[in-house]
Coordinates of all heavy atoms in Angstrom, one line a residue:
M982 N 115.0 116.9 76.1 CA 116.2 116.1 76.2 C 115.9 114.8 77.0 O 115.3 114.9 78.1 CB 117.3 116.9 76.8 CG 117.6 118.2 76.1 SD 118.3 117.9 74.5 CE 120.0 117.8 74.8
V983 N 116.4 113.7 76.6 CA 116.3 112.5 77.4 C 117.6 111.8 77.4 O 118.5 111.9 76.5 CB 115.3 111.5 76.7 CG1 113.9 112.1 76.8 CG2 115.6 111.2 75.3
I984 N 117.9 111.1 78.5 CA 119.1 110.3 78.6 C 118.8 108.9 77.9 O 117.7 108.4 78.1 CB 119.6 110.1 80.0 CG1 121.0 109.6 80.0 CG2 118.7 109.3 80.9 CD1 121.7 109.7 81.3
I985 N 119.7 108.4 77.2 CA 119.5 107.1 76.5 C 120.2 106.0 77.2 O 121.4 105.9 77.1 CB 119.9 107.2 75.0 CG1 119.3 108.4 74.4 CG2 119.6 105.9 74.3 CD1 117.8 108.4 74.3
G986 N 119.5 105.2 78.0 CA 120.1 104.0 78.6 C 121.1 104.3 79.6 O 121.8 105.3 79.7
A987 N 121.3 103.3 80.5 CA 122.3 103.5 81.6 C 123.7 103.4 81.1 O 124.6 104.0 81.7 CB 122.0 102.4 82.7
D988 N 123.9 102.8 80.0 CA 125.3 102.7 79.4 C 125.7 103.9 78.7 O 126.9 104.1 78.5 CB 125.3 101.5 78.5 CG 125.1 100.2 79.2 OD1 125.3 100.1 80.4 OD2 124.6 99.3 78.5
D989 N 124.8 104.8 78.4 CA 125.1 106.1 77.7 C 124.8 107.3 78.6 O 124.2 108.2 78.2 CB 124.2 106.2 76.5 CG 124.8 105.5 75.3 OD1 126.0 105.4 75.2 OD2 124.1 105.2 74.4
R990 N 125.2 107.2 79.9 CA 124.8 108.2 80.8 C 125.2 109.6 80.4 O 124.6 110.6 80.7 CB 125.5 107.9 82.2 CG 124.8 106.7 82.8 CD 125.4 106.5 84.2 NE 124.9 105.2 84.7 CZ 125.6 104.1 84.8 NH1 126.9 104.1 84.5 NH2 125.0 103.0 85.2
A991 N 126.3 109.7 79.6 CA 126.8 111.1 79.2 C 126.2 111.5 77.9 O 126.4 112.6 77.5 CB 128.3 111.1 79.1
S992 N 125.4 110.6 77.2 CA 124.9 111.0 75.9 C 123.4 111.5 76.0 O 122.5 110.7 76.4 CB 124.9 109.7 75.0 OG 126.2 109.3 74.8
W993 N 123.3 112.7 75.7 CA 121.9 113.3 75.7 C 121.5 113.6 74.3 O 122.3 114.2 73.5 CB 121.9 114.6 76.5 CG 122.1 114.4 78.0 CD1 123.3 114.2 78.7 CD2 121.1 114.3 79.0 NE1 123.0 114.0 80.0 CE2 121.7 114.1 80.2 CE3 119.7 114.5 78.9 CZ2 121.0 113.9 81.4 CZ3 119.0 114.3 80.1 CH2 119.6 114.1 81.3
L994 N 120.3 113.3 74.0 CA 119.8 113.5 72.6 C 118.4 114.2 72.7 O 117.7 113.9 73.6 CB 119.6 112.2 71.9 CG 120.9 111.3 71.7 CD1 120.5 110.0 71.1 CD2 121.9 112.0 70.9
A995 N 118.1 115.0 71.7 CA 116.8 115.5 71.6 C 116.0 114.4 70.8 O 116.4 114.0 69.7 CB 116.7 116.8 70.8
S996 N 114.9 113.9 71.4 CA 114.2 112.8 70.8 C 112.7 112.8 71.3 O 112.5 113.1 72.4 CB 114.8 111.5 71.2 OG 114.1 110.4 70.7
N997 N 111.9 112.4 70.4 CA 110.5 112.2 70.8 C 110.2 110.8 71.1 O 109.1 110.5 71.7 CB 109.5 112.7 69.6 CG 109.6 114.2 69.5 OD1 109.8 114.9 70.4 ND2 109.4 114.6 68.2
S998 N 111.1 109.9 70.8 CA 110.9 108.5 71.2 C 112.1 107.9 71.8 O 112.9 107.3 71.2 CB 110.5 107.7 69.9 OG 111.6 107.9 68.9
P999 N 112.2 108.2 73.1 CA 113.4 107.7 73.9 C 113.4 106.2 74.0 O 112.4 105.5 73.9 CB 113.3 108.3 75.2 CG 111.8 108.6 75.4 CD 111.3 108.9 74.0
R1000 N 114.6 105.6 74.1 CA 114.7 104.2 74.3 C 115.0 104.0 75.8 O 115.8 104.8 76.4 CB 115.9 103.6 73.6 CG 115.8 103.6 72.1 CD 117.0 102.9 71.6 NE 118.2 103.3 72.3 CZ 119.4 103.6 71.8 NH1 119.5 103.7 70.5 NH2 120.4 103.9 72.6
F1001 N 114.3 103.1 76.4 CA 114.5 102.9 77.9 C 115.3 101.7 78.1 O 115.3 100.7 77.4 CB 113.1 102.7 78.5 CG 112.2 104.0 78.3 CD1 111.2 103.9 77.3 CD2 112.5 105.1 78.9 CE1 110.5 105.0 77.1 CE2 111.8 106.3 78.7 CZ 110.7 106.2 77.8
N1002 N 116.0 101.7 79.2 CA 116.9 100.6 79.5 C 116.1 99.5 80.3 O 116.2 99.4 81.5 CB 118.1 101.1 80.4 CG 119.2 100.1 80.5 OD1 119.1 99.1 79.9 ND2 120.2 100.4 81.3
D1003 N 115.3 98.8 79.5 CA 114.4 97.8 80.1 C 114.7 96.4 79.5 O 113.9 95.5 79.7 CB 112.9 98.2 79.8 CG 112.6 98.3 78.3 OD1 113.5 98.1 77.5 OD2 111.4 98.6 78.0
A1004 N 115.9 96.2 79.0 CA 116.2 95.0 78.4 C 116.1 93.8 79.3 O 115.6 92.7 79.0 CB 117.6 95.0 77.8
I1005 N 116.6 94.0 80.6 CA 116.5 92.9 81.5 C 115.0 92.5 81.9 O 114.7 91.4 82.0 CB 117.3 93.2 82.8 CG1 117.5 91.9 83.6 CG2 116.7 94.3 83.6 CD1 118.6 91.9 84.7
L1006 N 114.2 93.5 82.0 CA 112.8 93.3 82.2 C 112.1 92.5 81.1 O 111.4 91.6 81.3 CB 112.0 94.6 82.5 CG 112.5 95.4 83.8 CD1 111.9 96.8 83.8 CD2 112.1 94.6 85.0
R1007 N 112.5 92.9 79.9 CA 111.9 92.2 78.7 C 112.5 90.8 78.7 O 111.8 89.8 78.3 CB 112.3 92.9 77.4 CG 111.5 94.3 77.3 CD 111.9 95.1 76.1 NE 111.2 96.3 76.0 CZ 110.1 96.5 75.5 NH1 109.4 95.5 74.9 NH2 109.5 97.7 75.5
A1008 N 113.8 90.6 79.0 CA 114.4 89.3 78.9 C 113.7 88.4 80.0 O 113.6 87.1 79.8 CB 115.9 89.4 79.2
L1009 N 113.3 88.9 81.1 CA 112.6 88.1 82.1 C 111.2 87.8 81.7 O 110.6 87.0 82.4 CB 112.6 88.9 83.5 CG 114.0 89.0 84.1 CD1 113.9 90.0 85.3 CD2 114.5 87.7 84.6
G1010 N 110.7 88.4 80.7 CA 109.4 88.1 80.2 C 108.3 89.0 80.7 O 107.1 88.7 80.6
C1011 N 108.6 90.2 81.2 CA 107.6 91.1 81.7 C 106.8 91.6 80.5 O 107.3 91.9 79.4 CB 108.3 92.3 82.4 SG 109.2 91.9 83.9
A1012 N 105.5 91.6 80.8 CA 104.5 92.1 79.7 C 104.7 93.6 79.4 O 105.1 94.3 80.3 CB 103.1 91.8 80.2
T1013 N 104.5 93.9 78.2 CA 104.6 95.3 77.7 C 103.3 95.8 77.2 O 102.5 95.0 76.6 CB 105.7 95.5 76.7 OG1 105.4 94.6 75.5 CG2 107.1 95.1 77.2
A1014 N 103.0 97.1 77.3 CA 101.8 97.6 76.7 C 101.9 97.7 75.2 O 102.9 98.2 74.7 CB 101.6 99.0 77.2
P1015 N 101.0 97.2 74.4 CA 101.1 97.2 73.0 C 101.1 98.5 72.3 O 101.8 98.7 71.3 CB 99.8 96.4 72.5 CG 98.9 96.4 73.7 CD 99.7 96.6 74.9
D1016 N 100.5 99.5 73.0 CA 100.5 100.8 72.3 C 101.7 101.7 72.6 O 102.1 102.5 71.8 CB 99.2 101.6 72.8 CG 99.1 101.7 74.3 OD1 99.6 100.9 75.0 OD2 98.4 102.6 74.7
T1017 N 102.4 101.5 73.8 CA 103.5 102.3 74.1 C 104.8 101.5 74.2 O 105.9 102.1 74.1 CB 103.3 103.0 75.5 OG1 103.2 102.0 76.5 CG2 102.1 103.9 75.5
G1018 N 104.7 100.2 74.4 CA 105.9 99.4 74.6 C 106.5 99.5 76.0 O 107.5 98.8 76.3
H1019 N 105.9 100.2 76.9 CA 106.3 100.3 78.3 C 106.0 99.0 79.0 O 105.1 98.2 78.6 CB 105.6 101.4 79.0 CG 106.0 102.8 78.6 ND1 105.2 103.5 77.8 CD2 107.1 103.5 78.8 CE1 105.8 104.7 77.5 NE2 107.0 104.7 78.1
I1020 N 106.8 98.7 80.0 CA 106.5 97.5 80.9 C 105.2 97.8 81.6 O 105.0 98.9 82.2 CB 107.7 97.4 81.9 CG1 109.0 97.2 81.2 CG2 107.4 96.2 82.9 CD1 109.1 95.9 80.3
T1021 N 104.3 96.8 81.6 CA 103.1 97.0 82.3 C 103.2 96.5 83.8 O 103.9 95.5 84.0 CB 101.9 96.2 81.6 OG1 102.3 94.9 81.5 CG2 101.6 96.8 80.2
V1022 N 102.6 97.3 84.6 CA 102.6 96.9 86.1 C 101.2 97.0 86.7 O 100.4 97.8 86.2 CB 103.6 97.9 86.9 CG1 105.0 97.7 86.4 CG2 103.2 99.3 86.7
G1023 N 101.0 96.3 87.7 CA 99.8 96.4 88.5 C 100.0 97.3 89.6 O 100.9 98.2 89.6
G1024 N 99.2 97.1 90.7 CA 99.4 97.9 91.9 C 100.8 97.9 92.4 O 101.4 96.8 92.6
H1025 N 101.3 99.0 92.7 CA 102.6 99.2 93.4 C 103.8 98.6 92.6 O 104.7 98.2 93.2 CB 102.5 98.7 94.8 CG 101.5 99.3 95.6 ND1 101.4 100.7 95.9 CD2 100.3 98.8 96.1 CE1 100.4 100.9 96.6 NE2 99.7 99.8 96.7
G1026 N 103.7 98.6 91.3 CA 104.8 98.2 90.5 C 105.0 96.8 90.1 O 106.0 96.4 89.5
A1027 N 104.1 95.9 90.6 CA 104.3 94.5 90.3 C 104.1 94.2 88.8 O 103.2 94.7 88.2 CB 103.3 93.7 91.1
T1028 N 105.1 93.5 88.2 CA 105.0 93.2 86.8 C 104.3 91.9 86.6 O 103.8 91.3 87.6 CB 106.4 93.1 86.1 OG1 107.0 91.9 86.7 CG2 107.2 94.3 86.3
S1029 N 104.2 91.4 85.4 CA 103.5 90.1 85.1 C 104.4 88.9 85.5 O 103.9 87.8 85.6 CB 103.2 90.0 83.6 OG 104.4 90.1 82.9
V1030 N 105.6 89.2 85.9 CA 106.5 88.1 86.4 C 106.6 88.2 87.9 O 107.0 89.2 88.5 CB 107.9 88.3 85.8 CG1 108.9 87.2 86.3 CG2 107.9 88.2 84.3
P1031 N 106.2 87.1 88.6 CA 106.2 87.1 90.1 C 107.6 87.4 90.6 O 108.6 86.9 90.2 CB 105.8 85.7 90.5 CG 105.0 85.2 89.3 CD 105.6 85.9 88.1
G1032 N 107.6 88.4 91.6 CA 108.9 88.7 92.2 C 109.7 89.8 91.4 O 110.8 90.1 91.8
V1033 N 109.1 90.4 90.3 CA 109.8 91.4 89.6 C 108.9 92.6 89.6 O 107.7 92.6 89.2 CB 110.1 90.9 88.1 CG1 110.7 92.0 87.3 CG2 110.9 89.7 88.1
W1034 N 109.5 93.8 89.9 CA 108.8 95.0 90.0 C 109.5 96.0 89.1 O 110.7 95.9 88.8 CB 108.8 95.6 91.4 CG 107.9 94.9 92.3 CD1 106.6 95.3 92.6 CD2 108.1 93.7 93.0 NE1 106.0 94.4 93.5 CE2 106.9 93.4 93.8 CE3 109.2 92.8 93.2 CZ2 106.8 92.3 94.6 CZ3 109.1 91.8 94.0 CH2 107.9 91.5 94.7
A1035 N 108.7 97.1 88.7 CA 109.3 98.1 87.8 C 108.6 99.4 88.2 O 107.4 99.4 88.6 CB 109.1 97.8 86.3
C1036 N 109.3 100.5 87.9 CA 108.7 101.8 88.1 C 109.6 102.9 87.4 O 110.6 102.5 86.8 CB 108.7 102.2 89.6 SG 110.2 102.2 90.5
G1037 N 109.1 104.1 87.3 CA 109.8 105.1 86.6 C 109.6 105.1 85.1 O 108.5 104.8 84.7
N1038 N 110.6 105.5 84.4 CA 110.4 105.7 82.9 C 110.2 104.4 82.1 O 109.7 104.5 81.0 CB 111.6 106.5 82.4 CG 111.6 107.9 82.8 OD1 111.1 108.2 83.9 ND2 112.0 108.8 81.9
V1039 N 110.5 103.3 82.6 CA 110.2 102.0 81.9 C 108.8 101.7 82.0 O 108.3 100.9 81.2 CB 111.1 100.8 82.4 CG1 112.5 101.0 82.2 CG2 110.8 100.5 83.8
V1040 N 108.1 102.4 82.9 CA 106.6 102.2 83.1 C 105.8 103.3 82.4 O 104.8 103.1 81.9 CB 106.3 102.0 84.6 CG1 104.8 102.0 84.8 CG2 106.9 100.8 85.2
D1041 N 106.4 104.5 82.5 CA 105.7 105.7 82.0 C 106.7 106.7 81.6 O 107.4 107.3 82.4 CB 104.8 106.3 83.1 CG 104.1 107.6 82.7 OD1 104.2 108.0 81.5 OD2 103.3 108.1 83.5
S1042 N 106.9 106.9 80.3 CA 107.9 107.8 79.8 C 107.7 109.3 80.2 O 108.6 110.1 80.2 CB 108.0 107.8 78.3 OG 106.8 108.2 77.7
R1043 N 106.5 109.6 80.7 CA 106.3 111.0 81.1 C 106.7 111.2 82.6 O 106.6 112.3 83.1 CB 104.8 111.3 81.0 CG 104.3 111.3 79.5 CD 102.8 111.3 79.4 NE 102.3 110.2 80.1 CZ 101.1 110.1 80.6 NH1 100.2 111.1 80.4 NH2 100.7 109.0 81.2
A1044 N 107.1 110.2 83.3 CA 107.4 110.3 84.7 C 108.6 111.2 84.9 O 109.7 111.0 84.4 CB 107.7 108.9 85.3
Q1045 N 108.4 112.2 85.6 CA 109.5 113.1 86.0 C 110.2 112.5 87.2 O 109.7 111.6 87.8 CB 108.9 114.5 86.3 CG 108.3 115.2 85.1 CD 107.7 116.5 85.5 OE1 107.6 116.9 86.6 NE2 107.3 117.2 84.5
V1046 N 111.3 113.1 87.5 CA 112.1 112.5 88.6 C 111.3 112.4 89.9 O 111.3 111.3 90.6 CB 113.4 113.3 88.8 CG1 114.2 112.9 90.1 CG2 114.3 113.3 87.6
I1047 N 110.6 113.4 90.3 CA 109.9 113.4 91.5 C 108.8 112.3 91.5 O 108.5 111.6 92.5 CB 109.3 114.8 91.9 CG1 108.9 114.8 93.4 CG2 108.2 115.2 91.0 CD1 110.0 114.7 94.4
T1048 N 108.1 112.2 90.4 CA 107.1 111.2 90.2 C 107.7 109.8 90.3 O 107.2 108.9 90.9 CB 106.3 111.3 88.9 OG1 105.9 112.7 88.8 CG2 105.2 110.4 88.7
A1049 N 108.8 109.6 89.6 CA 109.5 108.3 89.6 C 109.9 107.9 91.0 O 109.9 106.8 91.4 CB 110.6 108.3 88.6
A1050 N 110.4 108.9 91.7 CA 110.9 108.7 93.1 C 109.7 108.2 94.0 O 109.8 107.3 94.8 CB 111.5 109.9 93.7
G1051 N 108.5 108.9 93.8 CA 107.4 108.5 94.6 C 106.9 107.1 94.2 O 106.6 106.3 95.1
E1052 N 106.9 106.8 92.9 CA 106.6 105.4 92.5 C 107.6 104.4 93.1 O 107.2 103.3 93.5 CB 106.6 105.3 91.0 CG 105.4 106.0 90.4 CD 105.5 106.0 88.8 OE1 106.5 105.4 88.3 OE2 104.6 106.6 88.2
A1053 N 108.9 104.8 93.1 CA 109.9 103.9 93.6 C 109.7 103.6 95.1 O 109.8 102.5 95.6 CB 111.3 104.5 93.4
S1054 N 109.3 104.6 95.8 CA 109.0 104.4 97.3 C 107.8 103.5 97.5 O 107.9 102.6 98.3 CB 108.7 105.8 97.9 OG 108.3 105.6 99.2
A1055 N 106.7 103.6 96.7 CA 105.6 102.7 96.8 C 106.0 101.3 96.4 O 105.6 100.3 97.1 CB 104.4 103.3 96.0
T1056 N 106.8 101.2 95.4 CA 107.2 99.9 94.9 C 108.1 99.2 96.0 O 108.0 98.0 96.2 CB 108.0 100.0 93.6 OG1 107.1 100.6 92.6 CG2 108.5 98.7 93.1
A1057 N 109.0 100.0 96.6 CA 109.9 99.4 97.6 C 109.0 98.9 98.8 O 109.4 97.9 99.4 CB 110.9 100.5 98.1
T1058 N 108.0 99.6 99.2 CA 107.1 99.2 100.2 C 106.4 97.9 99.9 O 106.3 97.0 100.7 CB 106.1 100.3 100.6 OG1 106.8 101.5 100.9 CG2 105.1 99.9 101.7
A1059 N 106.0 97.8 98.6 CA 105.3 96.6 98.2 C 106.3 95.4 98.2 O 105.9 94.3 98.6 CB 104.8 96.8 96.8
I1060 N 107.5 95.6 97.8 CA 108.6 94.6 97.8 C 108.8 94.1 99.2 O 108.9 92.9 99.5 CB 109.9 95.0 97.1 CG1 109.6 95.2 95.6 CG2 111.0 94.0 97.4 CD1 110.7 96.0 94.9
T1061 N 108.9 95.1 100.1 CA 109.2 94.7 101.5 C 108.0 93.9 102.1 O 108.3 92.9 102.8 CB 109.3 96.0 102.4 OG1 110.5 96.7 101.9 CG2 109.5 95.7 103.8
S1062 N 106.8 94.2 101.8 CA 105.6 93.5 102.2 C 105.6 92.1 101.6 O 105.3 91.1 102.3 CB 104.3 94.2 101.8 OG 104.3 95.4 102.5
W1063 N 106.0 92.0 100.4 CA 106.1 90.7 99.7 C 107.1 89.8 100.4 O 106.9 88.6 100.6 CB 106.4 90.9 98.2 CG 106.5 89.6 97.4 CD1 105.5 88.8 97.0 CD2 107.7 89.1 96.9 NE1 106.0 87.8 96.2 CE2 107.3 87.9 96.1 CE3 109.0 89.4 97.0 CZ2 108.3 87.1 95.5 CZ3 110.0 88.6 96.4 CH2 109.6 87.5 95.6
L1064 N 108.3 90.3 100.6 CA 109.4 89.6 101.3 C 109.0 89.1 102.7 O 109.2 88.0 103.1 CB 110.7 90.4 101.3 CG 111.3 90.6 100.0 CD1 112.5 91.6 100.1 CD2 111.8 89.3 99.4
L1065 N 108.3 90.0 103.4 CA 107.8 89.7 104.8 C 106.8 88.6 104.7 O 106.9 87.6 105.5 CB 107.2 90.9 105.4 CG 106.7 90.8 106.8 CD1 107.8 90.3 107.8 CD2 106.1 92.1 107.3
A1066 N 105.9 88.6 103.8 CA 104.9 87.5 103.6 C 105.6 86.2 103.4 O 105.2 85.1 103.9 CB 103.9 87.8 102.5
I1067 N 106.6 86.2 102.5 CA 107.4 84.9 102.3 C 108.1 84.4 103.5 O 108.0 83.2 103.8 CB 108.4 85.2 101.1 CG1 107.7 85.4 99.8 CG2 109.4 84.0 101.0 CD1 108.6 85.8 98.7
D1068 N 108.7 85.4 104.3 CA 109.4 85.0 105.5 C 108.4 84.4 106.5 O 108.6 83.4 107.2 CB 110.1 86.2 106.2 CG 111.4 86.5 105.5 OD1 111.9 85.7 104.7 OD2 111.9 87.6 105.7
I1069 N 107.2 85.0 106.7 CA 106.2 84.5 107.6 C 105.7 83.2 107.2 O 105.6 82.3 108.0 CB 105.0 85.6 107.7 CG1 105.5 86.8 108.4 CG2 103.8 84.9 108.4 CD1 104.5 88.0 108.4
E1070 N 105.4 83.0 105.9 CA 105.0 81.7 105.4 C 106.0 80.6 105.7 O 105.7 79.5 106.1 CB 104.7 81.8 103.9 CG 104.1 80.5 103.3 CD 103.8 80.7 101.9 OE1 103.2 81.7 101.5 OE2 104.1 79.7 101.1
A1071 N 107.3 80.9 105.5 CA 108.4 79.9 105.7 C 108.5 79.6 107.2 O 108.7 78.5 107.6 CB 109.7 80.5 105.2
A1072 N 108.3 80.6 108.1 CA 108.4 80.4 109.5 C 107.2 79.5 110.0 O 107.4 78.7 110.8 CB 108.3 81.8 110.2
V1073 N 106.0 79.8 109.5 CA 104.9 78.9 109.8 C 105.1 77.5 109.4 O 104.8 76.6 110.1 CB 103.6 79.5 109.2 CG1 102.4 78.5 109.3 CG2 103.2 80.8 109.9
E1074 N 105.6 77.3 108.2 CA 105.9 75.9 107.7 C 106.9 75.3 108.6 O 106.8 74.1 108.9 CB 106.4 76.0 106.3 CG 105.3 76.3 105.3 CD 105.9 76.4 103.8 OE1 107.0 75.9 103.6 OE2 105.1 76.9 103.0
R1075 N 108.0 76.0 109.0 CA 109.0 75.4 109.9 C 108.4 75.0 111.2 O 108.7 74.0 111.8 CB 110.2 76.4 110.1 CG 111.1 76.4 108.9 CD 112.4 77.2 109.2 NE 112.2 78.5 109.7 CZ 112.1 79.6 108.9 NH1 112.2 79.4 107.6 NH2 111.9 80.8 109.4
A1076 N 107.6 75.9 111.7 CA 106.9 75.6 113.0 C 106.0 74.4 112.9 O 106.0 73.6 113.9 CB 106.1 76.9 113.5
D1077 N 105.3 74.3 111.8 CA 104.5 73.1 111.6 C 105.3 71.8 111.6 O 104.9 70.8 112.2 CB 103.6 73.2 110.4 CG 102.5 74.2 110.5 OD1 102.2 74.6 111.7 OD2 102.0 74.7 109.5
I1078 N 106.4 71.9 110.9 CA 107.3 70.7 110.8 C 107.9 70.3 112.2 O 107.9 69.2 112.6 CB 108.4 71.0 109.8 CG1 107.9 71.0 108.4 CG2 109.5 69.9 109.9 CD1 108.8 71.5 107.3
N1079 N 108.3 71.4 112.9 CA 108.9 71.1 114.2 C 107.8 70.5 115.2 O 108.1 69.7 116.0 CB 109.5 72.4 114.8 CG 110.7 72.8 114.1 OD1 111.4 72.0 113.4 ND2 111.0 74.1 114.2
R1080 N 106.6 71.0 115.1 CA 105.5 70.5 115.9 C 105.2 69.1 115.6 O 105.0 68.3 116.5 CB 104.3 71.4 115.7 CG 103.4 71.5 116.9 CD 102.2 72.4 116.7 NE 102.3 73.2 115.5 CZ 102.3 74.6 115.4 NH1 102.2 75.2 116.5 NH2 102.4 75.2 114.3
T1081 N 105.2 68.7 114.3 CA 104.9 67.4 113.9 C 106.0 66.4 114.3 O 105.8 65.3 114.8 CB 104.8 67.3 112.4 OG1 103.7 68.2 112.0 CG2 104.5 65.9 111.9
E1082 N 107.3 66.9 114.2 CA 108.4 66.0 114.6 C 108.5 65.8 116.1 O 108.9 64.8 116.6 CB 109.8 66.7 114.1 CG 109.9 66.6 112.6 CD 111.2 67.3 112.1 OE1 111.8 68.0 112.9 OE2 111.5 67.2 110.9
S1083 N 108.1 66.8 116.9 CA 108.2 66.7 118.3 C 107.1 65.7 118.9 O 107.2 65.2 119.9 CB 108.0 68.0 119.0 OG 106.8 68.6 118.8
R1084 N 106.0 65.5 118.1 CA 104.9 64.6 118.5 C 105.3 63.2 118.2 O 104.7 62.3 118.7 CB 103.7 65.0 117.8 CG 103.1 66.3 118.2 CD 101.8 66.6 117.5 NE 101.3 67.9 117.8 CZ 100.4 68.6 117.1 NH1 99.9 68.1 116.0 NH2 100.1 69.8 117.5
S1085 N 106.3 63.0 117.3 CA 106.6 61.6 116.9 C 107.5 60.9 117.9 O 108.1 61.3 118.7 CB 107.4 61.7 115.6 OG 106.7 62.3 114.6

């Protein structure tokens, strides 16, 4: 039994080919695997679109809840690291600007 999409939370069907609620990922241009149609990800859930991550059943239809939760945890850690790197880069740029302005 599989659940079909977030909009059909109460609809359960017996199916060998479930549909995944990945429309937004596809609309954003995330690459898909030609053989399975799943969203492809690199290390820790990064998709082909910078700043977009995916995990769980849109990446692997065999992912059970516990596996998807573990992947989500690793993906969340990667997102946190990515955001921290952006913040550090912005802080360094601001510091460089302030240093240059104070010399003028």
